[in-house]
Amino acid sequence: MRAAAATVAEDDLPRLPKGFLMSGRTSLTIVLAAGEGTRMRSSMPKVLHPVAGQSLLAHVLSAAPKGVGTALAVVIGPNHQAVDDEAKRYRPDAQTFVQQDRKGTAHAVLAARQALARGADDLIIAFGDTPLISATTFERLRAPLKQGATLAVLGFRAADPTGYGRLLVENGRLTAIREQADASPAERDVTLCNAGVMAFDGRTALSILEKIGHANSKGEYYLTDAVTIVRDLGLEAVVIETSEDEVRGINTKAQLAEAESVMQARLRKAAMEAGVTLIAPETVFLAADTTFGKDVTIEPFVVIGPGVSIADGAVIHSFSHIAQASIGKKASVGPYARLRPGTSLGEGARIGNFVETKAATLEAGVKVNHLSYVGDAHVGANANLGAGTITCNYDGFSKHKTEIGSNAFVGTNSSLVAPVKIGNGAYIGSGSVITRDVPDDAMAVERNQQNNREGGAVRYRELKTRGKTPKGG
Ligand code: UD1
Ligand code: CA
């Protein structure tokens, strides 16, 4: 009912752009991601390479305008189903378009013609390989359009401008973007460069894009030619400047590593601002989606992969590796722990050194303090798994589940051969190989009788040394 009322209110104001009530102006963002990225020397499409545990494309899609009045299109290469899937995973509202032949950035934008034809107040073009761009920058770029500019181009001062399009500015107005290959020696000295991100007034965007030709040294349709067309129409193109760090394009593995380092610095800073204690921040690796409660401490040399949440008061000790895991309040992990996907630790749970967990729920107060593997398992509250406890979850063909009841005690060096259930409060004798379910409060010992032979050691030594001169004698 409420949604219907909102639509009526908007329809009552026909002269205002659709979406005006919520966001001011509507937008269409087109993300170009059709490149193979040959310089990555990888069989994976470039935009799927990760930075902080998330693909380059996902970073751009998260920063692009979202919500009411926004539309998103991603231009992908032929046979890039994986890119298509990734786009829709992060932005289910995304529409993807295949650019069959790579004929340049303007040609790529026009692959999304169908989305363009629907119209939007602002048309934003972004590249799928610039993962450090922020949502604020997209907003800054859109601002001049409100003031009447036809085109806003994101620029930056390049430490080394080689390879970038140069922004040519006359009397404060952007007159052209010159690609490296087409630039004169004087133009090559210009350090103000094109980041690749642009925002067009949506009313004229399509007609401008259609005017772009391919009379240049590469014979490609250059999006950058839009600037001269705008100027020739007597319309205004402007530059919005940002830092080089934010618009680093990724073409090589070395640049991927640089972007990782910039992103990690940002994530560490944000974590500390949110109250996380990082003793040696430069040694801690976070993922873009890591979430923290209050008073979390992370010791030096910890790697956190995607999908990790760490609740209030938890401590992650040194040299731990964690991915797709949820860590409960006041839990303690490591040192030297490996929490693999599907791990969930309850409040106050303790995972000690050289313990590996996978697809395992460990309820509140569970202790697994040393040298264990807990996989495909559920462990009830306050159970204690002794050193060397192994859940034997795999028989070489399929995985099986181990269930351990609350307050159970599993003696050291026990093998729990799944599928198997250990009851609440049950007690497993050290060294047991448990293959049958153990009832609640039962004691299970699976172990051969011990045989002590009186004087046996003496007789054994005599046997071994008979006829030999003792060493050192
Ligand atoms: C482009 C800009 C340059 C700018 C630089 C910033 C043009 C003509 N040049 O150059 O001014 O300084 O980015 O990094 O726009 N793509 C497609 N289909 C194509 C061609 C490209 O989808 O046919 C995509 C690529 O996958 C990439 C982006 O567009 O995500 C940029 O293409 P790229 O070839 O890297 O352009 P540059 O030569 O770096
Ligand atoms: Ca590039």
Side-chain angles (χ1 to χ4, degrees):
M1 274 332 228
R2 204 186 274 174
T7 312
V8 171
E10 233 171 73
D11 290 345
D12 284 342
L13 302 165
R15 279 157 301 155
L16 292 175
K18 208 170 183 318
F20 177 86
L21 290 178
M22 300 301 285
S23 62
R25 290 167 68 96
T26 61
S27 70
L28 165 65
T29 307
I30 301 181
V31 179
L32 306 188
E36 279 296 340
T38 42
R39 282 184 286 161
M40 297 294 273
R41 307 218 181 284
S42 165
S43 52
M44 183 161 73
K46 176 163 80 174
V47 295
L48 296 184
H49 285 266
V51 162
Q54 189 170 289
S55 69
L56 303 181
L57 181 63
H59 283 284
V60 178
L61 298 185
S62 321
K66 46 175 145 314
V68 177
T70 68
L72 182 74
V74 182
V75 178
I76 65 177
N79 312 317
H80 277 180
Q81 185 58 45
V83 180
D84 192 320
D85 294 344
E86 177 75 351
K88 285 170 182 155
R89 198 153 74 87
Y90 276 86
R91 287 288 297 263
D93 60 323
Q95 214 187 345
T96 52
F97 297 90
V98 176
Q99 184 194 20
Q100 286 300 341
D101 308 298
R102 287 191 43 134
K103 293 186 187 164
T105 43
H107 182 260
V109 172
L110 286 172
R113 180 188 289 274
Q114 205 197 329
L116 276 164
R118 278 198 291 272
D121 298 329
D122 300 346
L123 167 66
I124 301 154
I125 314 291
F127 290 172
D129 63 356
T130 52
L132 300 166
I133 189 131
S134 72
T136 321
T137 297
F138 281 115
E139 291 315 311
R140 283 181 58 218
L141 199 62
R142 293 174 72 182
L145 306 181
K146 269 192 207 168
Q147 315 299 321
T150 296
L151 176 59
V153 172
L154 190 63
F156 66 101
R157 300 276 168 189
D160 174 9
T162 313
Y164 287 115
R166 310 298 205 282
L167 299 184
L168 308 182
V169 178
E170 274 171 34
N171 305 322
R173 302 188 74 184
L174 179 63
T175 55
I177 304 179
R178 196 76 75 231
E179 290 307 299
Q180 171 87 15
D182 305 297
S184 68
E187 286 168 345
R188 287 185 184 189
D189 287 340
V190 173
T191 57
L192 184 61
C193 291
N194 174 28
V197 183
M198 295 185 188
F200 288 84
D201 180 335
R203 287 170 300 185
T204 42
L206 187 54
S207 72
I208 291 166
L209 291 166
E210 282 174 333
K211 289 192 177 77
I212 293 176
H214 55 90
N216 51 56
S217 59
K218 281 193 184 165
E220 284 189 2
Y221 295 85
Y222 285 168
L223 181 59
T224 45
D225 285 354
V227 172
T228 316
I229 295 167
V230 166
R231 185 203 55 190
D232 290 349
L233 290 169
L235 299 169
E236 195 189 1
V238 299
V239 182
I240 296 292
E241 273 194 56
T242 190
S243 71
E244 181 164 18
D245 265 351
E246 202 189 345
V247 292
R248 280 170 195 277
I250 312 299
N251 299 308
T252 64
K253 290 286 170 75
Q255 289 168 336
L256 186 69
E258 282 169 25
E260 181 76 48
S261 126
V262 172
M263 185 64 81
Q264 288 298 337
R266 277 190 200 172
L267 293 171
R268 291 165 189 146
K269 187 163 174 271
M272 289 187 284
E273 278 166 6
V276 178
T277 300
L278 298 179
I279 294 165
E282 67 284 2
T283 67
V284 173
F285 288 77
L286 303 172
D289 63 353
T290 311
T291 63
F292 302 101
K294 285 197 277 290
D295 295 313
V296 167
T297 297
I298 304 183
E299 290 186 353
F301 299 103
V302 167
V303 176
I304 296 179
V308 173
S309 65
I310 306 177
D312 299 355
V315 180
I316 313 298
H317 296 281
S318 292
F319 306 108
S320 294
H321 190 287
I322 305 172
Q324 280 164 40
S326 107
I327 295 169
K329 288 182 182 171
K330 296 191 172 149
S332 168
V333 174
Y336 296 100
R338 180 175 183 208
L339 305 191
R340 292 171 52 203
T343 296
S344 164
L345 302 186
E347 184 165 350
R350 303 183 70 84
I351 298 295
N353 43 279
F354 305 107
V355 171
E356 175 182 348
T357 63
K358 184 219 75 173
T361 298
L362 283 67
E363 303 284 2
V366 167
K367 289 186 193 140
V368 191
N369 277 332
H370 340 260
L371 300 155
S372 289
Y373 171 64
V374 184
D376 299 306
H378 181 272
V379 184
N382 301 311
N384 187 328
L385 277 55
T389 298
I390 305 291
T391 56
C392 309
N393 61 328
Y394 186 52
D395 57 14
F397 296 91
S398 39
K399 302 280 169 72
H400 303 282
K401 190 158 183 192
T402 301
E403 287 180 51
I404 300 173
S406 55
N407 299 300
F409 183 97
V410 179
T412 57
N413 220 31
S414 295
S415 299
L416 309 177
V417 182
V420 72
K421 275 186 193 173
I422 313 294
N424 296 331
Y427 192 106
I428 309 295
S430 295
S432 297
V433 177
I434 299 296
T435 52
R436 287 188 291 132
D437 290 355
V438 179
D440 290 355
D441 292 320
M443 176 173 294
V445 184
E446 191 284 334
R447 197 191 279 164
N448 279 344
Q449 202 72 51
Q450 185 170 326
N451 180 0
N452 289 349
R453 292 179 216 166
E454 289 295 331
V458 176
R459 290 194 297 280
Y460 180 72
R461 281 192 291 271
E462 278 171 358
L463 185 74
K464 287 302 210 187
T465 55
R466 193 169 296 157
K468 287 185 192 163
T469 318
K471 269 198 181 133

